[in-house]
Amino acid sequence: MEYFVNEKGYYGDFGGAYIPEMLYPNVEELRQNYMSIINDEGFQEEFKKLLKDYVGRPSPLYLAKRLSSKYHANIFLKREDLNHTGAHKINNTIGQILLAERLGKKRIIAETGAGQHGVATATVCALRGLECVIYMGEIDIERQAPNVARMKMLGATVVPATSGSKTLKDATNEAMRDWVNNPVDTHYIIGSVVGPHPYPDMVALFQSIISEETKKQLIEQTGRDQPDYVLACVGGGSNAMGMFYHFINDAAVKLIAVEAAGKGVSSGYTAATTALGKEGVLHGSRSILMQTEDGQVVEPFSVSAGLDYPGIGPQHAHLFKTTRAQYVSITDEEALNAGLLCTQLEGIIPAIESAHAIAQLEKMEFKAGENVVVCLSGRGDKDMETYMKYFGL
Ligand SMILES: *Cc1c(COP(=O)(O)O)cnc(C)c1O
């Protein structure tokens, strides 16, 4: 079975580039150039150097002793929370800004929901001195004031999307419109393994550093590069894709993707895409998404802003359909409690997104000595208000 992208931009039945004709030249320029740029030795050298000196990689692979004794297995946490800016998203924005420079682009645009990807994008634009425009729904701008302030302080222009539901979907439309109007000088940085080909493949490549490092660290710590399980949360799916990447073709490694059930899979307030979704086209690629009978996208819900997305990337849809990876879901309540548990057993406050992956441990049965890697995609500082409200802190 082939789990990676083919020449046509597909993963089995999923992927492709479903874009308006006006966007074709932009996407085609990227498609024709991305592999040769990324595979270039000079690019790799610069990318790896920034990941080391600026982001702080390699991120540690930490054997969490007290979680391990609770769950009767060796629980390793891959510490993406220790990266500069507090999550895995910076791995991708560093890669894409270097690619944009090599394509001769002077201006960067991005869309953001909760603001995490916007901050990661504004950060690399400040680092490289490129103009940065972030599209964000008017409602999200109100809800996420600290991230808006960060983006502005970093020198970005934050443009409110005022149409429709005034959230992520509308911000994405505005960013697309901008890109159509500025095809020559502008690169559009997408923040997850979604969008038209080649974005899902490109973002997965940049995030694959997570599993590349994990394999080396497992050899040092356990003597083999093969864990029994790998777990990660899935919004669009970029930290999970990075965590799975170098294990996908090793059938002995069980891959577990954790989606957000929100208030419950059948509550009407959920982001459990594979549990409810059907095949369709979203944001430029064929995948699985939550939609009504007549194909309208259903508004997703999760306590964690990063998992509040109605679809998953096309490679995930393929891993789901072929059953190479198992897709499960965790409710808001389960995730928040796992966040508290991780904090009190390990002294690590996880992002609520990452806490979904930790919560799944409770539902599994391990054999003694099994090695389990959980991707700790981000830190919980940004989520303190939600934790405070829920636990009455
Ligand atoms: C954005 C985000 C996610 C979800 O995005 P993926 O593309 O699914 O990884 C998960 N965790 C954190 C900390 C995030 O900021």
Side-chain angles (χ1 to χ4, degrees), residues 86-89 116 191-193 233-240 306-307 351 353-354 377-379 382:
H88 65 292
K89 287 199 171 70
Q116 298 300 111
S192 190
V193 284
C233 66
V234 174
S238 69
N239 86 88
L307 303 186
E353 289 86 354
S354 323
S377 56
R379 67 178 81 126
K382 68 182 179 62

Side-chain angles (χ1 to χ4, degrees), residues 332-334 336-337 385-393:
D332 289 353
E333 219 167 288
E334 290 167 333
L336 288 160
N337 286 318
E385 240 184 70
T386 312
Y387 280 132
M388 281 157 66
K389 234 189 243 162
Y390 186 76
F391 293 113
L393 303 169

Side-chain angles (χ1 to χ4, degrees), residues 63-233:
L63 174 59
K65 290 253 173 60
R66 299 184 70 204
L67 279 174
S68 296
S69 58
K70 179 169 171 61
Y71 293 118
H72 311 292
N74 302 319
I75 311 293
F76 293 89
L77 302 177
K78 181 58 172 162
R79 302 288 311 274
E80 295 300 298
D81 61 314
L82 294 176
N83 292 342
H84 177 47
T85 68
H88 65 292
K89 287 199 171 70
I90 190 92
N91 304 326
N92 168 49
T93 56
I94 295 257
Q96 285 206 47
I97 199 104
L98 295 181
L99 185 112
E101 285 176 350
R102 280 159 176 81
L103 288 170
K105 308 294 178 183
K106 302 273 178 274
R107 182 172 174 271
I108 299 295
I109 58 171
E111 88 292 337
T112 195
Q116 298 300 111
H117 174 56
V119 170
T121 301
T123 298
V124 296
C125 288
L127 176 70
R128 306 303 281 196
L130 295 190
E131 187 188 344
C132 181
V133 178
I134 305 289
Y135 289 93
M136 191 168 181
E138 201 170 39
I139 289 182
D140 289 332
I141 288 180
E142 278 166 33
R143 288 193 291 207
Q144 309 289 343
N147 276 339
V148 175
R150 283 187 189 103
M151 289 183 255
K152 287 184 174 165
M153 187 164 171
L154 287 159
T157 306
V158 180
V159 179
T162 55
S163 62
S165 58
K166 304 183 170 72
T167 57
L168 180 63
K169 172 166 57 70
D170 314 285
T172 304
N173 291 339
E174 296 288 330
M176 291 279 184
R177 200 164 306 146
D178 181 314
W179 206 22
V180 167
N181 291 327
N182 300 284
V184 178
D185 70 336
T186 298
H187 175 68
Y188 179 16
I189 299 190
I190 292 183
S192 190
V193 284
V194 299
H197 177 67
Y199 278 101
D201 186 43
M202 184 167 75
V203 176
L205 272 168
F206 292 143
Q207 293 293 359
S208 70
I209 186 72
I210 299 173
S211 47
E212 187 183 318
E213 288 173 5
T214 300
K215 283 184 99 142
K216 287 185 201 146
Q217 292 164 323
L218 280 171
I219 290 184
E220 286 165 19
Q221 296 185 41
T222 71
R224 22 177 234 142
D225 70 352
Q226 205 180 41
D228 297 285
Y229 294 91
V230 169
L231 284 80
C233 66

Side-chain angles (χ1 to χ4, degrees), residues 235-254:
S238 69
N239 86 88
M241 220 55 252
M243 187 74 251
F244 291 174
Y245 200 93
H246 292 285
F247 297 114
I248 287 179
N249 284 328
D250 184 346
V253 180
K254 297 180 206 69

